[in-house]
Amino acid sequence: MTIHHAPKSVLIAEGVRKSYGSKGNAQQVLKGIDLRVAEGEFVGIMGPSGSGKTTLLNTLATIDHATDGQIFINEHEISKMKDHQLSRIRRQHLGFIFQDYNLLDTLTVKENILLPVSLTNISKDQAETEFDAISELLGIKELANKYPSEISGGQKQRTSAARALIHSPSLVFADEPTGALDSKAASNLLGNLHEINQTRQVTIVMVTHDPMASSYCSRVIFLKDGRIFSELYRGEKTRETFFKDILDMQAVLGGGNQI
């Protein structure tokens, strides 16, 4: 008899709440989020403006602290960790892709990508091998010696993606990664992320307002008023069919194509 083991949960959130402001005048943004992300998933987070999606991403990604609840990354509970412990978790387990690239102008593409490796114990040879593989996959190998000011927005975002992946994180957080890109550059980046997710089993959690971006995911979670409203699984559907399902769910939410 074959025993199928369920994939390991890379990320678990239990009863996560987030409030801003003082007790008497607190604004509750997240109102009890329960969420599991399995190894190898590509999860999109969507919702109308003010639904709490960016707050959720920042809280899960250790950028912000939850007011209440527990968050586990690879079985490490991050909710109560001190800053130096969180720094170690980020270095060892996490990669980040932001809308505005966050590249250092004074470093070349290659130096930007290799930056996270300088904080780890990876050898120079191993780092070079990994750089070659990732930059080849993302189509930016020939840009290695160029500076951010000399490349396009799409190339900057693929550089940012390479930097997020270079140290082989178990979990990559992407915050509106296509927000500043034209449709062709966005499609290229999303195709790259999908391929990396499939071939390297890198787990990706992406906040986006764009149904086209979400259609590359294996699952999309919809937030409304700080709670999980619904979720869709792609399964065996084509990307086109899944895209239509996402649009239908957005119409139900009444959030349209808002950020």
Side-chain angles (χ1 to χ4, degrees):
M1 188 175 82
T2 308
I3 298 173
H4 295 286
H5 293 287
K8 184 182 101 171
S9 290
V10 178
L11 174 67
I12 299 172
E14 295 177 344
V16 171
R17 297 173 185 275
K18 178 67 183 176
S19 300
Y20 293 101
S22 56
K23 277 219 167 76
N25 194 25
Q27 184 199 358
Q28 205 174 35
V29 181
L30 301 178
K31 301 170 183 174
I33 300 282
D34 295 314
L35 174 65
R36 281 176 182 263
V37 177
E39 193 170 39
E41 274 198 286
F42 187 170
V43 177
I45 299 174
M46 299 189 78
S49 180
S51 60
K53 55 189 184 296
T54 298
T55 302
L56 177 60
L57 185 87
N58 288 345
T59 307
L60 297 175
T62 75
I63 294 166
D64 206 348
H65 290 282
T67 308
D68 202 8
Q70 293 179 297
I71 299 168
F72 299 86
I73 291 175
N74 286 332
E75 297 175 359
H76 300 280
E77 191 192 343
I78 64 164
S79 343
K80 307 284 188 287
M81 280 187 178
K82 303 273 192 293
D83 285 346
H84 70 278
Q85 296 170 305
L86 287 173
S87 295
R88 193 169 69 244
I89 291 288
R90 284 184 209 113
R91 281 201 307 273
Q92 293 175 351
H93 299 280
L94 306 181
F96 300 93
I97 307 171
F98 300 102
Q99 181 175 337
D100 55 1
Y101 324 127
N102 282 17
L103 300 176
L104 296 175
D105 294 335
T106 53
L107 300 182
T108 63
V109 163
K110 184 174 184 178
E111 288 165 345
N112 266 291
I113 291 170
L114 289 173
L115 207 53
V117 175
S118 63
L119 304 169
T120 67
N121 300 324
I122 295 173
S123 69
K124 198 166 186 300
D125 286 349
Q126 197 183 338
E128 284 289 333
T129 304
E130 196 59 17
F131 169 79
D132 288 343
I134 290 281
S135 60
E136 183 86 46
L137 193 57
L138 287 162
I140 50 173
K141 196 170 179 184
E142 73 286 357
L143 305 175
N145 298 318
K146 289 194 180 291
Y147 288 88
S149 59
E150 301 173 309
I151 63 177
S152 71
Q155 291 167 334
K156 285 178 188 173
Q157 195 56 297
R158 280 182 278 150
T159 300
S160 173
R163 180 188 57 195
L165 294 157
I166 190 75
H167 59 301
S168 302
S170 48
L171 182 56
V172 171
F173 289 103
D175 187 7
E176 298 281 6
T178 59
L181 305 181
D182 63 41
S183 57
K184 185 171 184 294
S187 295
N188 284 342
L189 177 72
L190 291 159
N192 289 147
L193 290 178
H194 177 72
E195 186 183 351
I196 287 161
N197 166 254
Q198 294 292 300
T199 57
R200 291 179 162 234
Q201 283 295 290
V202 175
T203 310
I204 303 172
V205 175
M206 173 177 73
V207 159
T208 182
H209 70 280
D210 183 358
M212 191 277 286
S214 280
S215 69
Y216 284 84
C217 299
S218 52
R219 172 166 59 125
V220 182
I221 293 163
F222 295 86
L223 298 188
K224 186 174 184 179
D225 300 329
R227 292 189 172 90
I228 292 178
F229 176 79
S230 183
E231 53 188 335
L232 293 174
Y233 287 85
R234 180 168 165 185
E236 301 301 313
K237 293 172 190 163
T238 64
R239 203 167 62 72
E240 289 73 17
T241 304
F242 195 41
F243 173 73
K244 290 194 181 82
D245 290 349
I246 293 164
L247 284 179
D248 289 345
M249 182 58 73
Q250 274 198 321
V252 171
L253 269 170
N257 201 13
Q258 296 178 37
I259 293 175

PDB file of all heavy atoms in Angstrom, residues 44-54 176 206-211 214 220-227 229-230 246 249-250 253-259:
ATOM      1  N   GLY A  44      -1.586  33.311  -4.074  1.00  0.00           N
ATOM      2  CA  GLY A  44      -1.890  34.724  -4.275  1.00  0.00           C
ATOM      3  C   GLY A  44      -2.813  35.211  -3.169  1.00  0.00           C
ATOM      4  O   GLY A  44      -3.663  34.467  -2.691  1.00  0.00           O
ATOM      5  N   ILE A  45      -2.624  36.453  -2.742  1.00  0.00           N
ATOM      6  CA  ILE A  45      -3.528  37.084  -1.769  1.00  0.00           C
ATOM      7  C   ILE A  45      -4.133  38.311  -2.436  1.00  0.00           C
ATOM      8  O   ILE A  45      -3.411  39.203  -2.887  1.00  0.00           O
ATOM      9  CB  ILE A  45      -2.786  37.485  -0.477  1.00  0.00           C
ATOM     10  CG1 ILE A  45      -2.187  36.250   0.202  1.00  0.00           C
ATOM     11  CG2 ILE A  45      -3.729  38.213   0.483  1.00  0.00           C
ATOM     12  CD1 ILE A  45      -1.313  36.561   1.414  1.00  0.00           C
ATOM     13  N   MET A  46      -5.466  38.324  -2.523  1.00  0.00           N
ATOM     14  CA  MET A  46      -6.178  39.425  -3.180  1.00  0.00           C
ATOM     15  C   MET A  46      -7.261  39.973  -2.260  1.00  0.00           C
ATOM     16  O   MET A  46      -7.592  39.354  -1.251  1.00  0.00           O
ATOM     17  CB  MET A  46      -6.812  38.941  -4.488  1.00  0.00           C
ATOM     18  CG  MET A  46      -5.824  38.421  -5.512  1.00  0.00           C
ATOM     19  SD  MET A  46      -6.619  38.130  -7.121  1.00  0.00           S
ATOM     20  CE  MET A  46      -6.736  39.812  -7.752  1.00  0.00           C
ATOM     21  N   GLY A  47      -7.823  41.103  -2.657  1.00  0.00           N
ATOM     22  CA  GLY A  47      -8.920  41.693  -1.893  1.00  0.00           C
ATOM     23  C   GLY A  47      -9.053  43.159  -2.230  1.00  0.00           C
ATOM     24  O   GLY A  47      -8.101  43.779  -2.700  1.00  0.00           O
ATOM     25  N   PRO A  48     -10.225  43.725  -1.984  1.00  0.00           N
ATOM     26  CA  PRO A  48     -10.418  45.151  -2.266  1.00  0.00           C
ATOM     27  C   PRO A  48      -9.497  46.023  -1.431  1.00  0.00           C
ATOM     28  O   PRO A  48      -8.882  45.548  -0.462  1.00  0.00           O
ATOM     29  CB  PRO A  48     -11.877  45.410  -1.876  1.00  0.00           C
ATOM     30  CG  PRO A  48     -12.488  44.088  -1.607  1.00  0.00           C
ATOM     31  CD  PRO A  48     -11.395  43.110  -1.374  1.00  0.00           C
ATOM     32  N   SER A  49      -9.431  47.282  -1.796  1.00  0.00           N
ATOM     33  CA  SER A  49      -8.655  48.253  -1.026  1.00  0.00           C
ATOM     34  C   SER A  49      -9.116  48.241   0.430  1.00  0.00           C
ATOM     35  O   SER A  49     -10.313  48.226   0.699  1.00  0.00           O
ATOM     36  CB  SER A  49      -8.864  49.638  -1.632  1.00  0.00           C
ATOM     37  OG  SER A  49      -8.135  50.593  -0.927  1.00  0.00           O
ATOM     38  N   GLY A  50      -8.151  48.188   1.352  1.00  0.00           N
ATOM     39  CA  GLY A  50      -8.502  48.211   2.778  1.00  0.00           C
ATOM     40  C   GLY A  50      -8.863  46.851   3.352  1.00  0.00           C
ATOM     41  O   GLY A  50      -9.247  46.751   4.521  1.00  0.00           O
ATOM     42  N   SER A  51      -8.712  45.790   2.554  1.00  0.00           N
ATOM     43  CA  SER A  51      -9.084  44.451   3.047  1.00  0.00           C
ATOM     44  C   SER A  51      -8.037  43.864   3.993  1.00  0.00           C
ATOM     45  O   SER A  51      -8.305  42.912   4.714  1.00  0.00           O
ATOM     46  CB  SER A  51      -9.310  43.492   1.876  1.00  0.00           C
ATOM     47  OG  SER A  51      -8.128  43.367   1.089  1.00  0.00           O
ATOM     48  N   GLY A  52      -6.819  44.423   3.979  1.00  0.00           N
ATOM     49  CA  GLY A  52      -5.775  43.964   4.897  1.00  0.00           C
ATOM     50  C   GLY A  52      -4.707  43.101   4.253  1.00  0.00           C
ATOM     51  O   GLY A  52      -3.879  42.517   4.948  1.00  0.00           O
ATOM     52  N   LYS A  53      -4.677  43.035   2.916  1.00  0.00           N
ATOM     53  CA  LYS A  53      -3.751  42.090   2.283  1.00  0.00           C
ATOM     54  C   LYS A  53      -2.272  42.454   2.481  1.00  0.00           C
ATOM     55  O   LYS A  53      -1.459  41.577   2.750  1.00  0.00           O
ATOM     56  CB  LYS A  53      -4.084  41.871   0.807  1.00  0.00           C
ATOM     57  CG  LYS A  53      -4.172  43.085  -0.072  1.00  0.00           C
ATOM     58  CD  LYS A  53      -4.717  42.701  -1.454  1.00  0.00           C
ATOM     59  CE  LYS A  53      -4.723  43.880  -2.408  1.00  0.00           C
ATOM     60  NZ  LYS A  53      -5.627  44.966  -1.983  1.00  0.00           N
ATOM     61  N   THR A  54      -1.932  43.745   2.366  1.00  0.00           N
ATOM     62  CA  THR A  54      -0.529  44.133   2.572  1.00  0.00           C
ATOM     63  C   THR A  54      -0.142  43.985   4.046  1.00  0.00           C
ATOM     64  O   THR A  54       0.966  43.538   4.367  1.00  0.00           O
ATOM     65  CB  THR A  54      -0.287  45.575   2.080  1.00  0.00           C
ATOM     66  OG1 THR A  54      -0.547  45.615   0.677  1.00  0.00           O
ATOM     67  CG2 THR A  54       1.148  46.011   2.324  1.00  0.00           C
ATOM     68  N   GLU A 176       3.063  42.960  -4.601  1.00  0.00           N
ATOM     69  CA  GLU A 176       2.741  43.636  -5.865  1.00  0.00           C
ATOM     70  C   GLU A 176       3.937  43.640  -6.822  1.00  0.00           C
ATOM     71  O   GLU A 176       4.347  44.698  -7.322  1.00  0.00           O
ATOM     72  CB  GLU A 176       2.300  45.090  -5.597  1.00  0.00           C
ATOM     73  CG  GLU A 176       1.049  45.231  -4.763  1.00  0.00           C
ATOM     74  CD  GLU A 176      -0.248  45.007  -5.558  1.00  0.00           C
ATOM     75  OE1 GLU A 176      -0.166  44.621  -6.734  1.00  0.00           O
ATOM     76  OE2 GLU A 176      -1.324  45.197  -4.968  1.00  0.00           O
ATOM     77  N   MET A 206       2.248  35.753  -2.713  1.00  0.00           N
ATOM     78  CA  MET A 206       2.259  37.016  -3.457  1.00  0.00           C
ATOM     79  C   MET A 206       0.981  37.811  -3.233  1.00  0.00           C
ATOM     80  O   MET A 206      -0.120  37.311  -3.454  1.00  0.00           O
ATOM     81  CB  MET A 206       2.408  36.699  -4.957  1.00  0.00           C
ATOM     82  CG  MET A 206       2.271  37.899  -5.877  1.00  0.00           C
ATOM     83  SD  MET A 206       2.532  37.482  -7.633  1.00  0.00           S
ATOM     84  CE  MET A 206       1.008  36.596  -8.020  1.00  0.00           C
ATOM     85  N   VAL A 207       1.127  39.057  -2.802  1.00  0.00           N
ATOM     86  CA  VAL A 207      -0.005  39.982  -2.749  1.00  0.00           C
ATOM     87  C   VAL A 207      -0.108  40.687  -4.100  1.00  0.00           C
ATOM     88  O   VAL A 207       0.900  41.171  -4.623  1.00  0.00           O
ATOM     89  CB  VAL A 207       0.182  41.030  -1.628  1.00  0.00           C
ATOM     90  CG1 VAL A 207      -0.684  42.252  -1.881  1.00  0.00           C
ATOM     91  CG2 VAL A 207      -0.182  40.437  -0.286  1.00  0.00           C
ATOM     92  N   THR A 208      -1.302  40.712  -4.665  1.00  0.00           N
ATOM     93  CA  THR A 208      -1.498  41.411  -5.934  1.00  0.00           C
ATOM     94  C   THR A 208      -2.938  41.881  -6.046  1.00  0.00           C
ATOM     95  O   THR A 208      -3.834  41.302  -5.444  1.00  0.00           O
ATOM     96  CB  THR A 208      -1.127  40.512  -7.131  1.00  0.00           C
ATOM     97  OG1 THR A 208      -1.287  41.264  -8.345  1.00  0.00           O
ATOM     98  CG2 THR A 208      -1.992  39.263  -7.197  1.00  0.00           C
ATOM     99  N   HIS A 209      -3.148  42.946  -6.825  1.00  0.00           N
ATOM    100  CA  HIS A 209      -4.514  43.371  -7.140  1.00  0.00           C
ATOM    101  C   HIS A 209      -4.877  42.934  -8.554  1.00  0.00           C
ATOM    102  O   HIS A 209      -5.984  43.176  -9.020  1.00  0.00           O
ATOM    103  CB  HIS A 209      -4.630  44.898  -7.012  1.00  0.00           C
ATOM    104  CG  HIS A 209      -3.888  45.626  -8.092  1.00  0.00           C
ATOM    105  ND1 HIS A 209      -2.531  45.827  -8.035  1.00  0.00           N
ATOM    106  CD2 HIS A 209      -4.298  46.164  -9.267  1.00  0.00           C
ATOM    107  CE1 HIS A 209      -2.133  46.464  -9.126  1.00  0.00           C
ATOM    108  NE2 HIS A 209      -3.187  46.680  -9.904  1.00  0.00           N
ATOM    109  N   ASP A 210      -3.931  42.286  -9.240  1.00  0.00           N
ATOM    110  CA  ASP A 210      -4.070  41.986 -10.664  1.00  0.00           C
ATOM    111  C   ASP A 210      -4.509  40.538 -10.891  1.00  0.00           C
ATOM    112  O   ASP A 210      -3.750  39.611 -10.590  1.00  0.00           O
ATOM    113  CB  ASP A 210      -2.713  42.241 -11.335  1.00  0.00           C
ATOM    114  CG  ASP A 210      -2.752  42.038 -12.837  1.00  0.00           C
ATOM    115  OD1 ASP A 210      -3.811  41.667 -13.358  1.00  0.00           O
ATOM    116  OD2 ASP A 210      -1.703  42.237 -13.473  1.00  0.00           O
ATOM    117  N   PRO A 211      -5.724  40.319 -11.423  1.00  0.00           N
ATOM    118  CA  PRO A 211      -6.201  38.948 -11.658  1.00  0.00           C
ATOM    119  C   PRO A 211      -5.296  38.159 -12.607  1.00  0.00           C
ATOM    120  O   PRO A 211      -5.150  36.951 -12.467  1.00  0.00           O
ATOM    121  CB  PRO A 211      -7.590  39.140 -12.285  1.00  0.00           C
ATOM    122  CG  PRO A 211      -7.953  40.556 -12.081  1.00  0.00           C
ATOM    123  CD  PRO A 211      -6.696  41.329 -11.845  1.00  0.00           C
ATOM    124  N   SER A 214      -2.532  36.786 -10.526  1.00  0.00           N
ATOM    125  CA  SER A 214      -3.029  35.695  -9.681  1.00  0.00           C
ATOM    126  C   SER A 214      -3.278  34.410 -10.448  1.00  0.00           C
ATOM    127  O   SER A 214      -3.229  33.326  -9.883  1.00  0.00           O
ATOM    128  CB  SER A 214      -4.331  36.107  -9.000  1.00  0.00           C
ATOM    129  OG  SER A 214      -4.061  36.910  -7.898  1.00  0.00           O
ATOM    130  N   VAL A 220      -5.540  30.998  -4.752  1.00  0.00           N
ATOM    131  CA  VAL A 220      -5.713  32.436  -4.482  1.00  0.00           C
ATOM    132  C   VAL A 220      -6.643  32.598  -3.285  1.00  0.00           C
ATOM    133  O   VAL A 220      -7.732  32.022  -3.244  1.00  0.00           O
ATOM    134  CB  VAL A 220      -6.287  33.183  -5.702  1.00  0.00           C
ATOM    135  CG1 VAL A 220      -6.405  34.681  -5.387  1.00  0.00           C
ATOM    136  CG2 VAL A 220      -5.410  32.980  -6.933  1.00  0.00           C
ATOM    137  N   ILE A 221      -6.179  33.366  -2.296  1.00  0.00           N
ATOM    138  CA  ILE A 221      -6.953  33.655  -1.087  1.00  0.00           C
ATOM    139  C   ILE A 221      -7.510  35.070  -1.214  1.00  0.00           C
ATOM    140  O   ILE A 221      -6.778  36.008  -1.572  1.00  0.00           O
ATOM    141  CB  ILE A 221      -6.045  33.547   0.155  1.00  0.00           C
ATOM    142  CG1 ILE A 221      -5.612  32.095   0.362  1.00  0.00           C
ATOM    143  CG2 ILE A 221      -6.741  34.070   1.405  1.00  0.00           C
ATOM    144  CD1 ILE A 221      -4.432  31.945   1.270  1.00  0.00           C
ATOM    145  N   PHE A 222      -8.795  35.225  -0.949  1.00  0.00           N
ATOM    146  CA  PHE A 222      -9.441  36.539  -1.039  1.00  0.00           C
ATOM    147  C   PHE A 222      -9.769  37.038   0.363  1.00  0.00           C
ATOM    148  O   PHE A 222     -10.403  36.334   1.145  1.00  0.00           O
ATOM    149  CB  PHE A 222     -10.728  36.436  -1.862  1.00  0.00           C
ATOM    150  CG  PHE A 222     -10.488  36.066  -3.294  1.00  0.00           C
ATOM    151  CD1 PHE A 222     -10.390  34.738  -3.668  1.00  0.00           C
ATOM    152  CD2 PHE A 222     -10.334  37.045  -4.267  1.00  0.00           C
ATOM    153  CE1 PHE A 222     -10.147  34.388  -4.993  1.00  0.00           C
ATOM    154  CE2 PHE A 222     -10.096  36.707  -5.591  1.00  0.00           C
ATOM    155  CZ  PHE A 222     -10.000  35.369  -5.954  1.00  0.00           C
ATOM    156  N   LEU A 223      -9.318  38.243   0.660  1.00  0.00           N
ATOM    157  CA  LEU A 223      -9.618  38.872   1.949  1.00  0.00           C
ATOM    158  C   LEU A 223     -10.743  39.887   1.770  1.00  0.00           C
ATOM    159  O   LEU A 223     -10.873  40.516   0.724  1.00  0.00           O
ATOM    160  CB  LEU A 223      -8.397  39.610   2.501  1.00  0.00           C
ATOM    161  CG  LEU A 223      -7.129  38.826   2.838  1.00  0.00           C
ATOM    162  CD1 LEU A 223      -6.149  39.752   3.547  1.00  0.00           C
ATOM    163  CD2 LEU A 223      -7.406  37.608   3.662  1.00  0.00           C
ATOM    164  N   LYS A 224     -11.517  40.048   2.827  1.00  0.00           N
ATOM    165  CA  LYS A 224     -12.505  41.127   2.877  1.00  0.00           C
ATOM    166  C   LYS A 224     -12.630  41.562   4.333  1.00  0.00           C
ATOM    167  O   LYS A 224     -12.818  40.724   5.217  1.00  0.00           O
ATOM    168  CB  LYS A 224     -13.857  40.655   2.349  1.00  0.00           C
ATOM    169  CG  LYS A 224     -14.884  41.782   2.257  1.00  0.00           C
ATOM    170  CD  LYS A 224     -16.180  41.331   1.604  1.00  0.00           C
ATOM    171  CE  LYS A 224     -17.116  42.518   1.442  1.00  0.00           C
ATOM    172  NZ  LYS A 224     -18.378  42.141   0.792  1.00  0.00           N
ATOM    173  N   ASP A 225     -12.485  42.850   4.575  1.00  0.00           N
ATOM    174  CA  ASP A 225     -12.619  43.406   5.929  1.00  0.00           C
ATOM    175  C   ASP A 225     -11.777  42.649   6.962  1.00  0.00           C
ATOM    176  O   ASP A 225     -12.239  42.361   8.060  1.00  0.00           O
ATOM    177  CB  ASP A 225     -14.089  43.390   6.363  1.00  0.00           C
ATOM    178  CG  ASP A 225     -14.973  44.213   5.443  1.00  0.00           C
ATOM    179  OD1 ASP A 225     -14.459  45.208   4.890  1.00  0.00           O
ATOM    180  OD2 ASP A 225     -16.143  43.851   5.245  1.00  0.00           O
ATOM    181  N   GLY A 226     -10.539  42.328   6.591  1.00  0.00           N
ATOM    182  CA  GLY A 226      -9.620  41.731   7.558  1.00  0.00           C
ATOM    183  C   GLY A 226      -9.822  40.258   7.836  1.00  0.00           C
ATOM    184  O   GLY A 226      -9.212  39.699   8.748  1.00  0.00           O
ATOM    185  N   ARG A 227     -10.668  39.613   7.028  1.00  0.00           N
ATOM    186  CA  ARG A 227     -10.900  38.164   7.208  1.00  0.00           C
ATOM    187  C   ARG A 227     -10.756  37.458   5.867  1.00  0.00           C
ATOM    188  O   ARG A 227     -10.912  38.075   4.807  1.00  0.00           O
ATOM    189  CB  ARG A 227     -12.318  37.911   7.742  1.00  0.00           C
ATOM    190  CG  ARG A 227     -12.553  38.399   9.161  1.00  0.00           C
ATOM    191  CD  ARG A 227     -13.907  37.920   9.687  1.00  0.00           C
ATOM    192  NE  ARG A 227     -14.051  38.220  11.105  1.00  0.00           N
ATOM    193  CZ  ARG A 227     -14.563  39.357  11.586  1.00  0.00           C
ATOM    194  NH1 ARG A 227     -14.983  40.284  10.746  1.00  0.00           N
ATOM    195  NH2 ARG A 227     -14.667  39.551  12.882  1.00  0.00           N
ATOM    196  N   PHE A 229     -12.242  35.661   3.052  1.00  0.00           N
ATOM    197  CA  PHE A 229     -13.603  35.600   2.521  1.00  0.00           C
ATOM    198  C   PHE A 229     -13.817  34.297   1.752  1.00  0.00           C
ATOM    199  O   PHE A 229     -14.851  33.647   1.867  1.00  0.00           O
ATOM    200  CB  PHE A 229     -13.824  36.802   1.596  1.00  0.00           C
ATOM    201  CG  PHE A 229     -15.158  36.820   0.908  1.00  0.00           C
ATOM    202  CD1 PHE A 229     -16.303  37.235   1.574  1.00  0.00           C
ATOM    203  CD2 PHE A 229     -15.265  36.433  -0.434  1.00  0.00           C
ATOM    204  CE1 PHE A 229     -17.534  37.254   0.928  1.00  0.00           C
ATOM    205  CE2 PHE A 229     -16.491  36.459  -1.079  1.00  0.00           C
ATOM    206  CZ  PHE A 229     -17.631  36.866  -0.397  1.00  0.00           C
ATOM    207  N   SER A 230     -12.788  33.909   0.979  1.00  0.00           N
ATOM    208  CA  SER A 230     -12.914  32.720   0.143  1.00  0.00           C
ATOM    209  C   SER A 230     -11.540  32.354  -0.406  1.00  0.00           C
ATOM    210  O   SER A 230     -10.579  33.131  -0.265  1.00  0.00           O
ATOM    211  CB  SER A 230     -13.867  33.022  -1.018  1.00  0.00           C
ATOM    212  OG  SER A 230     -14.057  31.871  -1.793  1.00  0.00           O
ATOM    213  N   ILE A 246     -11.199  33.936 -11.106  1.00  0.00           N
ATOM    214  CA  ILE A 246     -10.716  35.016 -10.226  1.00  0.00           C
ATOM    215  C   ILE A 246     -11.526  36.292 -10.467  1.00  0.00           C
ATOM    216  O   ILE A 246     -11.932  36.972  -9.518  1.00  0.00           O
ATOM    217  CB  ILE A 246      -9.200  35.258 -10.450  1.00  0.00           C
ATOM    218  CG1 ILE A 246      -8.393  34.040  -9.979  1.00  0.00           C
ATOM    219  CG2 ILE A 246      -8.725  36.515  -9.717  1.00  0.00           C
ATOM    220  CD1 ILE A 246      -6.963  33.998 -10.494  1.00  0.00           C
ATOM    221  N   MET A 249     -14.871  35.968  -8.817  1.00  0.00           N
ATOM    222  CA  MET A 249     -14.786  36.135  -7.368  1.00  0.00           C
ATOM    223  C   MET A 249     -14.600  37.605  -7.010  1.00  0.00           C
ATOM    224  O   MET A 249     -15.190  38.089  -6.036  1.00  0.00           O
ATOM    225  CB  MET A 249     -13.632  35.295  -6.797  1.00  0.00           C
ATOM    226  CG  MET A 249     -13.513  35.375  -5.284  1.00  0.00           C
ATOM    227  SD  MET A 249     -15.009  34.841  -4.407  1.00  0.00           S
ATOM    228  CE  MET A 249     -14.905  33.070  -4.677  1.00  0.00           C
ATOM    229  N   GLN A 250     -13.821  38.324  -7.805  1.00  0.00           N
ATOM    230  CA  GLN A 250     -13.653  39.771  -7.562  1.00  0.00           C
ATOM    231  C   GLN A 250     -14.986  40.498  -7.675  1.00  0.00           C
ATOM    232  O   GLN A 250     -15.276  41.413  -6.900  1.00  0.00           O
ATOM    233  CB  GLN A 250     -12.660  40.357  -8.575  1.00  0.00           C
ATOM    234  CG  GLN A 250     -11.216  40.224  -8.148  1.00  0.00           C
ATOM    235  CD  GLN A 250     -10.331  41.182  -8.920  1.00  0.00           C
ATOM    236  OE1 GLN A 250     -10.519  41.395 -10.106  1.00  0.00           O
ATOM    237  NE2 GLN A 250      -9.365  41.755  -8.253  1.00  0.00           N
ATOM    238  N   LEU A 253     -16.906  39.939  -4.578  1.00  0.00           N
ATOM    239  CA  LEU A 253     -16.328  40.764  -3.500  1.00  0.00           C
ATOM    240  C   LEU A 253     -16.698  42.231  -3.643  1.00  0.00           C
ATOM    241  O   LEU A 253     -16.658  42.991  -2.674  1.00  0.00           O
ATOM    242  CB  LEU A 253     -14.804  40.631  -3.514  1.00  0.00           C
ATOM    243  CG  LEU A 253     -14.186  39.532  -2.658  1.00  0.00           C
ATOM    244  CD1 LEU A 253     -12.712  39.391  -2.991  1.00  0.00           C
ATOM    245  CD2 LEU A 253     -14.350  39.845  -1.188  1.00  0.00           C
ATOM    246  N   GLY A 254     -16.949  42.629  -4.884  1.00  0.00           N
ATOM    247  CA  GLY A 254     -17.270  44.039  -5.126  1.00  0.00           C
ATOM    248  C   GLY A 254     -16.064  44.947  -5.065  1.00  0.00           C
ATOM    249  O   GLY A 254     -16.188  46.143  -4.902  1.00  0.00           O
ATOM    250  N   GLY A 255     -14.879  44.328  -5.179  1.00  0.00           N
ATOM    251  CA  GLY A 255     -13.656  45.136  -5.056  1.00  0.00           C
ATOM    252  C   GLY A 255     -13.109  45.582  -6.377  1.00  0.00           C
ATOM    253  O   GLY A 255     -12.151  46.345  -6.438  1.00  0.00           O
ATOM    254  N   GLY A 256     -13.703  45.084  -7.460  1.00  0.00           N
ATOM    255  CA  GLY A 256     -13.191  45.455  -8.780  1.00  0.00           C
ATOM    256  C   GLY A 256     -11.705  45.195  -8.874  1.00  0.00           C
ATOM    257  O   GLY A 256     -11.194  44.225  -8.341  1.00  0.00           O
ATOM    258  N   ASN A 257     -10.993  46.087  -9.519  1.00  0.00           N
ATOM    259  CA  ASN A 257      -9.558  45.917  -9.735  1.00  0.00           C
ATOM    260  C   ASN A 257      -8.782  46.889  -8.864  1.00  0.00           C
ATOM    261  O   ASN A 257      -7.808  47.479  -9.265  1.00  0.00           O
ATOM    262  CB  ASN A 257      -9.251  46.138 -11.214  1.00  0.00           C
ATOM    263  CG  ASN A 257      -7.941  45.503 -11.613  1.00  0.00           C
ATOM    264  OD1 ASN A 257      -7.388  44.697 -10.863  1.00  0.00           O
ATOM    265  ND2 ASN A 257      -7.439  45.844 -12.788  1.00  0.00           N
ATOM    266  N   GLN A 258      -9.261  47.074  -7.641  1.00  0.00           N
ATOM    267  CA  GLN A 258      -8.603  48.051  -6.767  1.00  0.00           C
ATOM    268  C   GLN A 258      -7.316  47.510  -6.189  1.00  0.00           C
ATOM    269  O   GLN A 258      -7.114  46.314  -6.091  1.00  0.00           O
ATOM    270  CB  GLN A 258      -9.526  48.389  -5.589  1.00  0.00           C
ATOM    271  CG  GLN A 258     -10.812  49.065  -6.005  1.00  0.00           C
ATOM    272  CD  GLN A 258     -11.683  49.313  -4.797  1.00  0.00           C
ATOM    273  OE1 GLN A 258     -11.188  49.638  -3.736  1.00  0.00           O
ATOM    274  NE2 GLN A 258     -12.976  49.126  -4.951  1.00  0.00           N
ATOM    275  N   ILE A 259      -6.487  48.421  -5.765  1.00  0.00           N
ATOM    276  CA  ILE A 259      -5.237  48.047  -5.099  1.00  0.00           C
ATOM    277  C   ILE A 259      -5.530  47.808  -3.626  1.00  0.00           C
ATOM    278  O   ILE A 259      -6.297  48.539  -3.033  1.00  0.00           O
ATOM    279  CB  ILE A 259      -4.187  49.169  -5.263  1.00  0.00           C
ATOM    280  CG1 ILE A 259      -3.792  49.262  -6.750  1.00  0.00           C
ATOM    281  CG2 ILE A 259      -2.961  48.919  -4.416  1.00  0.00           C
ATOM    282  CD1 ILE A 259      -2.877  50.384  -7.098  1.00  0.00           C
TER     283      ILE A 259
END
